[in-house]
Amino acid sequence: MGFKAFQFCDEISESIKAQGFVKPTPIQEKAIPIVMKGRDVVGLAQTGTGKTAAFVLPILERLNQGQRGKVRALIIAPTRELAGQINDVVVSLGKSIGIKSMTIFGGVNINPQMKNLRSGVDVVVACPGRLLDHMNQKTIVLSHLEVLVLDEADQMFDMGFLPDIRKILKQVPKKRQTLLFSATMPKEIQFLAQECLTNPETIETAKNAAAVTVTHALFPVSQHLKTELLLQIMYKIGTGSVLVFTRTKHRAKRLAETLVSADFRAASLQGNLSQAKREKALAGFRDGTFQVLVATDIAARGIDVSQISHVINYDIPDTTDAYIHRIGRTGRAARTGDAYTFVTAEDSGAVRAIERVLKASIERRTVEGFDYKAAESKKNEFARPSRPGQSSNRKPSGAGSTRDGRSFSAGGFRRKKS
Ligand code: ADP
Ligand code: MG
C-alpha cells in the first residue's frame, strides 16, 4: 500500500514524495486513517518506526482547511532535540501548503520565541517547561487549539514531566483531538491517557519488539576489559556511525576521551554538558564529524540519527524498555543495524529479561584474537591496541581502573602519542 490511499491533498502528496517516503510504515498505515477521522489515538510503536509522520501528515491535512496564523496544533516532546526534529518534519512536509511551525524550549532566549508567536504560527512544537512559561506569561494563545500531541510520552514520564503536562492540559481547550505516542506503555502513561484522551483508539505495532532489521549480539567480557574490547570492535567496525551507551555520565566522558586518545573521532553526550556543547556533539555526530558518540540513557533521549550503524551497550541497560529504546536508534526505518551489548557475569539476570522480551535468545559473540584472560594487574585498559597489521606501538601509560571500571586514572587519557 502506498500513501495514495490516504488521499492527502496534492501539495502534501508531493511533499511526501520529496521526502523520499514511498510506503507508509506499519504505524503510519494504521494510525493515519484514524487520526484523519478526528479520533483520539494512543499510538504504541518503538523508536524509529515513523511515528512523527504518522501524526504530522494528518495534522497538516487538517490545518490546510481553516484559518491560518493561530496555534491550532500543539506537539509536546521531551527534549529540545526531539522538538527540533519534529519541527523539521512539520516544516518540510508543510512547506507546500504554507504552514508555519516553530519550536519552544528552554535554555535559549525567550524573546525571539515571543516575537515568533506574535507573528502568527499554525503549529508549535514545545518542551513542557518553557511552554508553561509562555502560558503563564500569556505569550502563547491556545484558545484555537484543535489538536494536541504528546509525543514520546514514556520519555516525558521518565524525565519527570508528567506534572507539567497535567498543568498544560488544564489550560487548553477541552474540545480537541488528542494523540499520544509512546514506545512503551508504563502504568503512569496509561493513567495519563485515560485522563486526557476521549474514547481513544489504541494502535500498536510489534509491541516490545525491537526493529526487525537489527542484529543483536552479546559480548561476554570482564568489566575491566570492556574498554579494550570496545576499541577492538571499533577497529573492526571501520567507518560506521556508532552510538555507545554507558551507565554513568562520568564513564561516558572518560570513555569518549579514551576513544579520542586512540585516534577515533569521538564525543560524549551527558548531562554535565552545556547546551552549546551538547548541540555541538549532536550536530557533529549527525554530520559525521564524530564517528562515535558516547552517551548516557537520559542524555541520549530523542537522538535520531538515521544512519547509526551500531549501538554498543558498554553497560547493559537497567531495564528492558531502556534496551528497546537504545536499540531503536539503529536499524531505523528500513535500514539495518547492529546492537552489541557487553555483558559481565553479573548481567545474566538482565540478559534473560531482554531475551524474554525479544522472544529469542541473543547470539553470544567473541572477538577473534582478543585476550579475554588478560589479568587485571597486567592490563592496560586505555592503551591503544595495535591495529591489525601494525607493529606494536603501545606505550606504557600507567592507566588503570578499579574492578568496576568506574575510576580511571588520568594518565591513560593525558598520554599523547608520539
Ligand atoms: P519514531 O518517532 O517512531 O521514533 P521517526 O518518526 O523519528 O520515528 O522516524 C524514524 C525515521 O524513519 C526518520 O528518519 C524518518 O525520516 C524515517 N521515515 C518515517 N516514515 C518513513 C516512511 N514511510 N518511509 C521511509 N522512511 C520513513
Ligand atoms: Mg518519535
Side-chain angles (χ1 to χ4, degrees):
M1 168 193 160
F3 279 95
K4 259 211 180 76
F6 303 127
Q7 299 187 307
F8 291 120
C9 67
D10 292 347
E11 292 87 348
I12 294 178
S13 301
E14 280 305 310
S15 307
I16 295 171
K17 247 189 238 152
Q19 197 75 14
F21 297 175
V22 179
K23 207 174 150 327
T25 64
I27 187 81
Q28 290 166 0
E29 198 172 313
K30 287 189 183 172
I32 289 173
I34 299 168
V35 178
M36 282 176 86
K37 270 192 234 153
R39 286 282 303 272
D40 281 8
V41 166
V42 174
L44 249 177
Q46 58 167 103
T47 309
T49 50
K51 293 191 286 298
T52 318
F55 60 79
V56 168
L57 287 169
I59 286 176
L60 290 172
E61 185 69 29
R62 175 192 194 118
L63 296 185
N64 197 24
Q65 322 288 324
Q67 65 175 333
R68 296 298 172 89
K70 308 277 190 223
V71 182
R72 290 166 60 206
L74 172 64
I75 301 163
I76 304 181
T79 64
R80 309 157 216 244
E81 285 80 26
L82 216 40
Q85 285 162 20
I86 296 166
N87 189 59
D88 290 345
V89 174
V90 176
V91 169
S92 61
L93 291 172
K95 226 177 9 226
S96 59
I97 52 168
I99 287 296
K100 286 203 182 124
S101 178
M102 68 173 283
T103 53
I104 282 184
F105 47 68
V108 295
N109 192 332
I110 198 167
N111 291 323
Q113 295 176 358
M114 291 179 173
K115 202 173 143 208
N116 220 340
L117 283 165
R118 269 199 306 274
S119 77
V121 295
D122 308 291
V123 181
V124 167
V125 188
C127 295
R130 178 58 69 85
L131 174 62
L132 272 174
D133 291 343
H134 280 284
M135 290 171 80
N136 293 337
Q137 295 182 44
K138 308 229 179 326
T139 46
I140 185 167
V141 178
L142 292 171
S143 52
H144 296 87
L145 192 72
E146 294 173 30
V147 190
L148 174 71
V149 182
L150 302 174
D151 193 24
E152 311 285 353
D154 53 350
Q155 294 189 16
M156 293 210 271
F157 161 62
D158 284 349
M159 295 173 81
F161 284 140
L162 289 203
D164 281 354
I165 300 287
R166 291 198 161 88
K167 277 185 213 154
I168 294 164
L169 282 165
K170 276 199 194 117
Q171 301 175 54
V172 295
K174 291 255 163 345
K175 191 173 166 292
R176 58 160 200 265
Q177 181 179 26
T178 309
L179 312 172
L180 183 151
F181 287 88
S182 201
T184 58
M185 219 6 143
K187 261 203 294 309
E188 292 77 2
I189 297 305
Q190 290 173 29
F191 292 144
L192 181 73
Q194 277 164 22
E195 277 168 53
C196 69
L197 281 81
T198 309
N199 185 24
E201 179 120 357
T202 300
I203 295 163
E204 280 184 64
T205 59
K207 190 184 175 193
N208 273 352
V212 284
T213 46
V214 174
T215 309
H216 304 257
L218 299 177
F219 287 78
V221 63
S222 320
Q223 183 69 40
H224 72 277
L225 294 174
K226 279 183 175 180
T227 301
E228 186 81 9
L229 182 66
L230 177 67
L231 291 172
Q232 289 294 347
I233 289 175
M234 285 301 305
Y235 291 131
K236 288 192 196 298
I237 285 175
T239 56
S241 217
V242 183
L243 181 58
V244 179
F245 283 98
T246 63
R247 187 162 303 162
T248 65
K249 296 189 247 189
H250 177 74
R251 202 175 291 180
K253 180 164 178 276
R254 292 306 184 101
L255 195 53
E257 286 167 359
T258 306
L259 285 161
V260 168
S261 63
D263 266 358
F264 287 102
R265 290 172 285 111
S268 68
L269 192 70
Q270 23 87 18
N272 289 348
L273 295 183
S274 67
Q275 181 60 16
K277 284 214 173 115
R278 192 182 153 77
E279 264 157 26
K280 199 169 152 229
L282 271 173
F285 188 47
R286 224 171 267 134
D287 69 20
T289 308
F290 300 120
Q291 184 197 358
V292 197
L293 193 64
V294 188
T296 56
D297 286 291
I298 293 281
R301 293 269 127 108
I303 294 183
D304 168 18
V305 179
S306 20
Q307 61 277 25
I308 292 174
S309 65
H310 293 74
V311 169
I312 299 181
N313 295 315
Y314 182 94
D315 297 311
I316 199 164
D318 291 330
T319 63
T320 53
D321 280 357
Y323 183 84
I324 301 288
H325 267 304
R326 288 182 181 185
I327 302 319
R329 294 170 210 290
T330 183
R332 300 176 76 87
R335 284 174 222 263
T336 58
D338 286 330
Y340 296 162
T341 304
F342 291 1
V343 291
T344 66
E346 289 100 88
D347 297 332
S348 55
V351 168
R352 273 197 302 278
I354 292 168
E355 289 183 323
R356 222 175 296 131
V357 168
L358 295 177
K359 296 193 174 69
S361 89
I362 308 177
E363 179 196 339
R364 270 71 174 165
R365 282 195 204 168
T366 51
V367 173
E368 220 185 286
F370 185 74
D371 183 4
Y372 282 94
K373 297 247 154 21
E376 196 166 345
S377 55
K378 281 201 221 131
K379 70 102 196 9
N380 185 351
E381 193 172 349
F382 304 108
R384 178 183 176 150
S386 34
R387 293 188 191 240
Q390 220 174 19
S391 63
S392 175
N393 58 355
R394 206 176 255 245
K395 284 213 159 56
S397 83
S401 77
T402 59
R403 178 171 298 278
D404 75 348
R406 263 163 222 265
S407 142
F408 301 124
S409 126
F413 300 110
R414 305 281 171 263
R415 179 179 58 85
K416 285 273 176 288
K417 292 186 305 294
S418 53

